[in-house]
Amino acid sequence: MSSEHHFRGNYYRHCNVIFVTFNQTTGRVVLISPSIGTIPPACANDTSIQDLTVCLLKDGYTIQAFYQETFVFSKCKSYYDTK
């Protein structure tokens, strides 16, 4: 007897994306722009780029890109829709 697993349905990947703009001189966060999703409540009051980065990484986000004074963080989940 062999057992095989067949997935019927679609494979989805959902990502939250957050853009964080900061002042390179002071290290202070200037703007947090959640493009998809929302910033985790535990990180909402972090005002330095260092503190915010640590908080987002602990929450499961990764740094996807860095452009001059902007970090792009993302956190993705993958799942199957079996309907």
Side-chain angles (χ1 to χ4, degrees):
M1 282 178 98
S2 68
S3 67
E4 294 180 0
H5 296 280
H6 293 282
F7 289 99
R8 291 182 183 262
N10 297 313
Y11 177 77
Y12 292 98
R13 190 164 189 213
H14 173 77
C15 297
N16 289 344
V17 180
I18 299 173
F19 294 86
V20 179
T21 304
F22 66 99
N23 181 310
Q24 280 187 323
T25 305
T26 64
R28 292 280 169 217
V29 173
V30 176
L31 180 65
I32 299 173
S33 307
S35 156
I36 303 169
T38 58
I39 188 157
C43 305
N45 295 324
D46 288 329
T47 57
S48 78
I49 189 62
Q50 293 88 353
D51 291 345
L52 184 59
T53 298
V54 168
C55 187
L56 289 173
L57 292 175
K58 282 183 180 176
D59 194 65
Y61 281 81
T62 58
I63 298 170
Q64 291 300 310
F66 172 64
Y67 304 105
Q68 296 176 348
E69 295 185 338
T70 302
F71 277 111
V72 181
F73 294 90
S74 72
K75 179 179 174 180
C76 298
K77 290 188 289 188
S78 300
Y79 60 92
Y80 282 95
D81 177 2
T82 55
K83 293 179 182 177

